[in-house]
Amino acid sequence: MVDMTVQIGSLKLNNPVIAASGTFGFEREIEQYMDLSKLGGISSKGLTIKPRSGNDAPRVAECPQGMLNSVGLQNPGIEYFIENELPHMLTYGCAVIANIAGHEFEEYGEMAKLLEDTAVDAIELNLSCPNVSGGCMAFGSDAYMIRSVVSSVKKVSSKPLWVKLTPNVTSISEMAIAAEEAGADAVSLINTLLGLVIDIDSRRPIMKNNTGGLSGPAVRPVAVRMVNEVYNAVSIPVIGMGGIMTGRDAAEMMIAGASAVQVGTANLVKPTACIDIIRELESWTANTGAAGVSEITGTIVKW
Ligand code: SIN
């Protein structure tokens, strides 16, 4: 028997496995395949002030050991989400995290205010989407902007605040420290790595938006390295993601320093991947003799 619960600041999760933003929709399409109460949590698709239809297709492309997406934050808008999707999501019995993505600086605070009277368990500030022209990654690659956005949201929100960081920077630790100093309760990383795939016959980029964000097993070593770097740089919990496909991958991310993990691309390969990952992580933890999965966090052994 292993205690699978983990604590992310004031928020207790059933287990450390969270379905990553954008890979589960608003869960209605997934609920027929699994008991969602078994998850640690679900992060919503990135929400914006106004509805967005996203970028023109083609906007996904497979590549060796991964995929690129350039969805462009397609979503029905935060008010629609609060009225029509959130009440249903809250019935699942796992933590519900609202991922919010602003184009303008002020939009983060406006959305956080709208979420204040809801029962979402945490807000994940998307400062890292690489597929839109303003906000998000443009803010998340500038430590000054991270500080400004996080502190402005902190002023209007009492919800636990997670900041989702981009790997497309020189020093992700610098960005994590900026988030922590401005009051973030946790950081989540990594969002996707900016990539380009070309159809050599037409010589055109495969995706209409040219570039896209790379995810999947190909990025995992980069994610593990960045999680470890950030774990050593901040005192707030780190939520690790990037190419986790199995329970052993989740264990690796936790050994690097993650208190919880998010699973994204694996859900697109197998909708029940999170359940398999929880089961595998539990049995791997039991075999180590640990009483609880949280004991694994940050146990990397140095040479
Ligand atoms: C997208 O909708 O383009 C992906 C979202 C993200 O990378 O945060």
Side-chain angles (χ1 to χ4, degrees), residues 7-160:
Q7 198 74 38
I8 307 295
S10 57
L11 181 62
K12 188 173 187 176
L13 305 180
N14 300 332
N15 64 66
V17 179
I18 300 164
S21 172
T23 58
F24 249 45
F26 295 116
E27 291 67 50
R28 290 185 197 271
E29 54 271 60
I30 305 284
E31 64 189 13
Q32 58 188 306
Y33 298 111
M34 72 173 93
D35 176 0
L36 292 162
S37 72
K38 300 267 187 287
L39 299 180
I42 298 168
S43 181
S44 75
K45 174 64 190 156
L47 300 161
T48 51
I49 281 274
K50 297 259 164 64
R52 284 177 61 96
S53 51
N55 294 335
D56 288 342
R59 55 189 197 178
V60 288
E62 284 190 51
C63 59
Q65 291 291 304
M67 62 173 282
L68 280 87
N69 92 79
S70 180
V71 171
L73 295 172
Q74 179 183 348
N75 80 96
I78 192 152
E79 287 180 43
Y80 181 94
F81 167 78
I82 290 172
E83 271 165 44
N84 301 287
E85 302 290 357
L86 181 60
H88 189 66
M89 284 174 79
L90 290 167
T91 63
Y92 292 139
C94 62
V96 175
I97 298 110
N99 179 295
I100 60 174
H103 187 264
E104 305 297 334
F105 166 87
E106 301 76 26
E107 291 175 3
Y108 287 96
E110 286 169 39
M111 287 189 276
K113 264 194 220 157
L114 292 172
L115 290 165
E116 186 62 6
D117 293 329
T118 71
V120 290
D121 295 288
I123 294 176
E124 184 173 57
L125 290 185
N126 185 336
L127 297 182
S128 45
C129 173
N131 304 323
V132 287
S133 60
C136 289
M137 192 174 90
F139 292 163
S141 25
D142 176 341
Y144 175 82
M145 283 308 295
I146 293 178
R147 275 199 184 81
S148 309
V149 175
V150 173
S151 46
S152 73
V153 172
K154 265 309 225 195
K155 282 190 191 122
V156 297
S157 174
S158 62
K159 302 278 184 195

Side-chain angles (χ1 to χ4, degrees), residues 173-193:
S173 305
E174 187 189 335
M175 305 304 153
I177 291 167
E180 178 179 41
E181 287 177 353
D185 297 288
V187 281
S188 53
L189 60 135
I190 57 174
N191 203 325
T192 53
L193 280 154

Side-chain angles (χ1 to χ4, degrees), residues 1-9 11-17 231 237-238 250-261 278 281-286 288-300:
M1 292 295 283
V2 174
D3 177 5
M4 288 296 280
T5 62
V6 292
Q7 198 74 38
I8 307 295
L11 181 62
K12 188 173 187 176
L13 305 180
N14 300 332
N15 64 66
V17 179
Y231 172 73
V238 178
E252 182 187 22
M253 198 66 90
M254 293 185 74
I255 290 168
S259 297
V261 298
I278 294 164
L281 180 61
E282 184 170 12
S283 93
W284 181 87
T285 307
T288 68
V293 72
S294 63
E295 289 175 30
I296 304 170
T297 297
T299 53
I300 185 169

